[in-house]
Amino acid sequence: MHGNIENYKSRWSEGLTMSVDGDSSPLSSSGSDDFAALLNEELAGISSDESLEEEADETDQDHDGEEEEVNEELNVEDADFAAKRSKRQRLDTLDDDEGLHCSTSLEPVPQSSDVSVQLEICAHPSLIKGMCVKCGRMVDDVSAVALGYIHKDLKVGSEELARLRNKDLKSLFCKKKLYLVLDLDHTLLNSTHFQHISPDEEYLKSQTDSLQDLPNGNLFQLDSMRMFTKLRPFVRTFLKEASNMFEMYVYTMGERPYAMEMARLLDPGKIYFDSRVISQADCTQKHQKGLDVVLGAESAVIILDDTEYVWRQHKENLILMDRYHYFSSSGRSFNLNNRSLSELKRDESEPDGALATILEVLKRIHQLFFDLEQDDDLMRRDVRQVLKTVRSEVLKGCKLVFSRVWKIGEQVENQRLWEVAEELGAICCKELDASVTHVVSTDMGTEKSRWAVNYKKFLVHPSWIEAANFLWQRQPEDSFAVNDSKKEH
């Protein structure tokens, strides 16, 4: 049996399926790493106007007066102008030296005999502190997207970002990979501050693993942050296998120091994420996560997160994860009153826990996306359509009627549980007939519940739909029986 049935019932009863809470956290890349390396090289030449002028003088000497001849020929007398032109020459030379034909390179501006024309046509693809890394001009581009996690103070223009994404996508498809964006808290791990440890969790202090042996540990005491962190079971196997199918990002609403420390625990060798770690400061909208800061085309991105609300613009990319509550403080923050896994001295199952289950879902989605029998252009495929197709097969063939699940008078078609059931492929209706397969109820005493028992139909608790929603599998109905009650509908 996958997961913990009581947890699904708790999430349903507390109305937590579609939480409006954000994260409660106290690039070897074909894309962003190459881009960052390039920018580091280019920035060495544009750190200040003074260095530009000094380097311009050196370039003049090295080229035996070549700069003066060109300036005289073009009637250009402004020294600053000449310095900027020297900067462009150096960047063009750098471009040639560094082989900027990788997936995220900045293409050199074509040479022209008219320097002033060359300046005018610069598209200002990327900026550092407002200065174009190509021509050296100060630019105010409000549409540029900040990518500070790749390089401090970096902004990339919308057209350049689109070009980079398209080029990177082609490179990634050659490797038969997609993008996977991973949340941290409650998805891959669980953290709590020292002061929030309950009396029944004191034993954990003597069971933490060494920070000198990160690859083999799963419970860590981080004194610098005054917190404990527990990695979700199966997470290391999950990351290793997922890396064969995806280029992976970490994306958390936590602060950057926390995000970097968690990434270090999960990926000490920087094999999976490297610098692809996005934190709260990188978000372009308050309390929202967005794919605008991810160097991946939306049509090829899958998101794993326990909170739907923060992905308001990208719900079709999202696989909603069942929350990992290892510490008692974690459950309490979501109004769960049951004892935590740590207090019970238990943990999720490695072979059939949440991550192991979702890994199988990801494998199927990856296989369907790269299905060679499809005759359409790979670049035209959309992983969101694959997600929708796989999801619609979970409860296919089930016809549901609901009884005492929501208040009388509420529009049932607008209820999130009704919508989820339909997304999973079930048919939902209001009236009973012979074709109904399941009655979903919280009370055995209702008329519809009794009908289900009499006609040998499935009678299940609403958490049955919850479990199917998180695990992407139809669950055994017997494990989600409805409690007996004397109440009448």
Side-chain angles (χ1 to χ4, degrees):
M1 175 61 201
H2 293 292
N4 187 314
I5 296 172
E6 292 304 317
N7 282 348
Y8 295 121
K9 290 186 177 181
S10 297
R11 281 193 74 147
W12 176 83
S13 63
E14 295 291 342
L16 292 172
T17 307
M18 300 303 147
S19 170
V20 296
D21 295 316
D23 291 356
S24 58
S25 63
L27 259 145
S28 51
S29 164
S30 63
S32 50
D33 290 335
D34 294 338
F35 196 30
L38 166 67
L39 288 169
N40 280 328
E41 293 290 340
E42 291 193 347
L43 286 173
I46 61 172
S47 58
S48 68
D49 290 339
E50 181 179 354
S51 62
L52 284 174
E53 293 174 359
E54 291 174 354
E55 292 177 19
D57 291 339
E58 294 174 4
T59 303
D60 291 342
Q61 295 173 5
D62 293 340
H63 291 279
D64 298 321
E66 177 183 345
E67 189 72 44
E68 288 82 359
E69 293 176 9
V70 174
N71 285 343
E72 180 179 357
E73 182 177 310
L74 297 174
N75 296 317
V76 177
E77 298 179 355
D78 185 88
D80 182 61
F81 185 93
K84 288 181 179 179
R85 181 178 182 280
S86 296
K87 165 59 186 168
R88 282 198 310 282
Q89 289 179 333
R90 289 194 303 280
L91 288 182
D92 291 337
T93 301
L94 177 63
D95 288 352
D96 294 335
D97 292 343
E98 296 297 327
L100 295 179
H101 296 293
C102 63
S103 62
T104 57
S105 64
L106 296 176
E107 295 179 355
V109 178
Q111 293 294 326
S112 168
S113 60
D114 189 335
V115 178
S116 62
V117 171
Q118 193 175 114
L119 279 175
E120 289 300 324
I121 66 173
C122 180
H124 311 306
S126 306
L127 314 173
I128 298 290
K129 293 186 177 180
M131 176 182 284
C132 176
V133 300
K134 211 60 185 168
C135 69
R137 280 183 171 180
M138 297 303 296
V139 179
D140 184 16
D141 185 356
V142 295
S143 67
V145 178
L147 299 177
Y149 68 95
I150 297 177
H151 197 293
K152 185 179 179 181
D153 301 314
L154 167 66
K155 287 187 176 183
V156 180
S158 56
E159 291 185 7
E160 177 68 2
L161 199 54
R163 187 190 70 82
L164 295 177
R165 284 177 174 148
N166 185 66
K167 201 166 185 177
D168 197 51
L169 187 62
K170 291 178 181 179
S171 173
L172 210 61
F173 280 175
C174 289
K175 304 173 187 176
K176 289 190 69 172
K177 284 188 175 186
L178 297 167
Y179 301 95
L180 184 63
V181 176
L182 299 166
D183 173 50
L184 286 177
D185 297 282
H186 308 113
T187 298
L188 299 182
L189 49 82
N190 193 206
S191 297
T192 189
H193 286 97
F194 290 165
Q195 66 266 31
H196 295 154
I197 289 291
S198 72
D200 289 339
E201 294 174 316
E202 286 290 331
Y203 76 95
L204 295 173
K205 296 179 179 179
S206 62
Q207 296 192 8
T208 57
D209 297 309
S210 172
L211 292 173
Q212 306 306 314
D213 189 22
L214 295 180
N216 296 313
N218 62 81
L219 176 63
F220 301 101
Q221 179 173 322
L222 306 173
D223 293 330
S224 62
M225 293 188 167
R226 305 287 298 166
M227 65 168 52
F228 292 101
T229 292
K230 172 68 172 63
L231 305 188
R232 196 167 199 166
F234 196 73
V235 67
R236 297 203 186 279
T237 302
F238 174 88
L239 293 175
K240 181 179 180 180
E241 295 196 26
S243 68
N244 296 322
M245 303 179 287
F246 300 93
E247 181 172 89
M248 298 186 291
Y249 284 74
V250 162
Y251 200 145
T252 176
M253 294 294 267
E255 296 181 355
R256 185 153 191 81
Y258 175 77
M260 295 303 294
E261 184 66 9
M262 296 304 103
R264 185 177 76 91
L265 298 181
L266 291 165
D267 183 22
K270 292 190 174 183
I271 300 171
Y272 308 128
F273 310 124
D274 201 7
S275 60
R276 295 189 299 277
V277 180
I278 304 173
S279 57
Q280 186 182 65
D282 302 305
C283 298
T284 56
Q285 295 184 52
K286 191 174 183 180
H287 304 312
Q288 286 290 301
K289 295 179 179 180
L291 295 181
D292 54 343
V293 294
V294 174
L295 287 179
E298 291 183 21
S299 60
V301 176
I302 298 175
I303 303 164
L304 295 191
D305 203 315
D306 68 284
T307 305
E308 183 182 43
Y309 173 77
V310 296
W311 292 104
R312 188 176 296 163
Q313 302 298 322
H314 306 287
K315 290 182 180 181
E316 291 183 330
N317 299 81
L318 175 65
I319 293 180
L320 192 64
M321 293 292 293
D322 187 25
R323 291 194 179 103
Y324 181 50
H325 296 298
Y326 184 75
F327 299 106
S328 59
S329 62
S330 177
R332 290 195 302 269
S333 67
F334 287 92
N335 300 315
L336 298 179
N337 298 317
N338 50 306
R339 286 167 60 80
S340 68
L341 290 170
S342 59
E343 290 175 322
L344 295 171
K345 297 185 178 181
R346 292 169 39 198
D347 210 344
E348 281 187 357
S349 167
E350 282 263 354
D352 60 4
L355 288 177
T357 301
I358 292 302
L359 179 62
E360 294 306 310
V361 175
L362 292 174
K363 288 179 178 179
R364 178 140 194 271
I365 293 170
H366 181 272
Q367 179 184 16
L368 289 174
F369 186 91
F370 288 102
D371 184 357
L372 297 179
E373 294 183 3
Q374 298 186 51
D375 56 5
D376 62 319
D377 182 2
L378 193 62
M379 292 293 289
R380 295 179 180 274
R381 297 181 191 177
D382 195 322
V383 75
R384 291 168 291 195
Q385 293 303 314
V386 181
L387 280 165
K388 188 177 296 185
T389 298
V390 174
R391 188 165 168 76
S392 68
E393 296 173 352
V394 176
L395 295 182
K396 186 177 181 179
C398 298
K399 188 172 182 178
L400 316 181
V401 168
F402 295 83
S403 177
R404 196 167 287 173
V405 176
W406 34 74
K407 297 178 181 179
I408 297 175
E410 291 182 335
Q411 292 292 322
V412 295
E413 298 89 343
N414 297 331
Q415 297 297 320
R416 182 54 185 158
L417 200 63
W418 180 294
E419 295 176 351
V420 168
E422 290 187 328
E423 290 171 3
L424 295 173
I427 297 174
C428 299
C429 53
K430 301 177 183 177
E431 303 300 330
L432 296 169
D433 61 49
S435 65
V436 171
T437 61
H438 295 70
V439 171
V440 183
S441 180
T442 58
D443 187 353
M444 287 187 65
T446 70
E447 180 182 347
K448 292 176 180 176
S449 295
R450 293 197 300 269
W451 177 90
V453 174
N454 292 336
Y455 286 90
K456 301 186 184 308
K457 305 291 185 176
F458 291 114
L459 177 61
V460 294
H461 190 273
S463 55
W464 177 73
I465 300 176
E466 293 280 4
N469 182 41
F470 289 114
L471 300 172
W472 288 55
Q473 293 179 7
R474 177 173 168 175
Q475 300 301 297
E477 284 82 357
D478 292 345
S479 300
F480 296 86
V482 181
N483 295 327
D484 195 5
S485 174
K486 302 300 180 180
K487 296 180 181 179
E488 294 294 329
H489 182 60

